[in-house]
Amino acid sequence: MVQPCPRGKVKCDDGRVITIGQLAGYVGVSIKTIRVYHDKGLLPEPDRDASGYRRYDANDAIELIKIRTLAEAGVPLARIRDLRSTTAEGFQQALREIDDELTGRIRGLQATQGRLRQLATGHLAPLPAEVEAHLELLAGWGFAPRWVDLQRDLWILVFATYPDHALTLFQDQAESLADPALRQLFLDYDHAHDLDADDPRVDDLAHRIAKATRARYGPEDPPELDAASEIPALIQGTVNASSPAWQRLDMLIRAQLDA
């Protein structure tokens, strides 16, 4: 309830008024906030009495409550100022637009929450459902957890940097793995991780992979990213850094395909 001006604080002779401190306390904002609203043109400066005190009445309190409500809803101060001067119809339309904006923000926050939950389960970034389903198959086919994790991380990189090409590359690899003979080559590549780089099995595997690659693609090049992209080199560098045997495999396969 708005109270009469207290003795000794505000001198008035035209009804029930309150000080800026009382107004702030009643509405639940700070005195500084009220002054900001004055400076921004949201809340008109009230008249002052003979002693220079601002005099606030019930209408000021009502207007301040409206401003506070809009501000707490996340409406920018500049927009609140425009809303305060619009028609009733314009005000309702603006509120509907703000509601739509808030709905969009909520959806964005929910998406962020989903990504955080994926991160908490060890998934750095979301991948298409068909990629996730494919990765789950790898363990059943005998691929090591190390290989599955590496594949997930590399597909995350490809989908994040080249979303328009990533699905084509993935589908090509998935088709290769659907072929039992080609899948065995991938498994042999995976299992070569712990071999010595000069193990004869590395040379044999490189020869078999190069031969299978020629048979699958013929004179055409396999699907790839932009020729100027550094991403393929980064990916292969990551793979090679995992194992000296894998590094030598890469060198031998390239040499045989280029021959």
Side-chain angles (χ1 to χ4, degrees):
M1 178 181 292
V2 179
Q3 299 293 332
C5 57
R7 177 182 293 274
K9 288 191 176 180
V10 177
K11 297 179 181 180
C12 56
D13 56 6
D14 59 349
R16 299 159 73 86
V17 295
I18 56 177
T19 66
I20 190 172
Q22 289 174 308
L23 177 64
Y26 290 142
V27 176
V29 299
S30 67
I31 292 174
K32 181 179 179 180
T33 295
I34 295 176
R35 289 173 176 157
V36 168
Y37 292 165
H38 286 325
D39 292 340
K40 299 291 185 182
L42 277 70
L43 185 67
E45 283 271 6
D47 294 332
R48 295 174 182 263
D49 63 16
S51 299
Y53 290 97
R54 293 184 179 91
R55 302 186 300 171
Y56 297 90
D57 58 20
N59 288 331
D60 294 318
I62 292 169
E63 292 301 307
L64 182 58
I65 289 170
K66 292 178 180 178
I67 295 168
R68 183 204 65 187
T69 302
L70 289 169
E72 288 178 347
V75 182
L77 295 185
R79 192 163 186 183
I80 294 175
R81 183 177 60 246
D82 295 338
L83 290 175
R84 305 297 297 131
S85 60
T86 191
T87 63
E89 181 179 352
F91 184 78
Q92 292 300 319
Q93 176 61 30
L95 290 183
R96 287 191 290 270
E97 292 174 358
I98 292 168
D99 183 69
D100 291 341
E101 291 172 6
L102 289 174
T103 299
R105 288 166 57 189
I106 289 169
R107 289 173 179 166
L109 289 171
Q110 289 173 334
T112 299
Q113 183 182 53
R115 287 193 290 271
L116 288 173
R117 288 175 176 174
Q118 287 182 319
L119 180 60
T121 60
H123 294 176
L124 180 62
L127 285 169
E130 62 185 297
V131 179
E132 289 289 358
H134 172 78
L135 291 170
E136 291 178 4
L137 290 174
L138 295 181
W141 284 335
F143 287 94
R146 172 198 61 243
W147 177 273
V148 178
D149 290 341
L150 179 61
Q151 291 295 307
R152 173 175 283 106
D153 289 344
L154 295 180
W155 283 122
I156 286 172
L157 175 59
V158 173
F159 274 90
T161 54
Y162 285 90
D164 295 337
H165 297 80
L167 196 56
T168 299
L169 293 176
F170 165 74
Q171 290 171 344
D172 179 72
Q173 187 186 94
E175 289 174 5
S176 295
L177 286 167
D179 182 322
L182 295 178
R183 184 192 312 152
Q184 186 59 54
L185 287 177
F186 278 89
L187 282 166
D188 291 345
Y189 197 116
D190 173 22
H191 299 157
H193 179 274
D194 296 326
L195 294 178
D196 290 333
D198 57 356
D199 191 303
R201 286 173 288 181
V202 173
D203 296 77
D204 176 66
L205 178 56
H207 174 73
R208 288 189 287 126
I209 291 176
K211 181 179 178 180
T213 301
R214 291 195 190 95
R216 177 168 169 74
Y217 299 107
E220 302 295 328
D221 291 328
E224 60 182 11
L225 298 178
D226 185 342
S229 173
E230 297 293 337
I231 296 301
L234 288 176
I235 290 174
Q236 193 60 55
T238 300
V239 173
N240 291 348
S242 302
S243 159
W246 283 359
Q247 183 176 18
R248 186 159 184 269
L249 263 175
D250 176 48
M251 179 190 69
L252 291 173
I253 293 170
R254 289 175 184 275
Q256 293 183 38
L257 290 177
D258 291 339

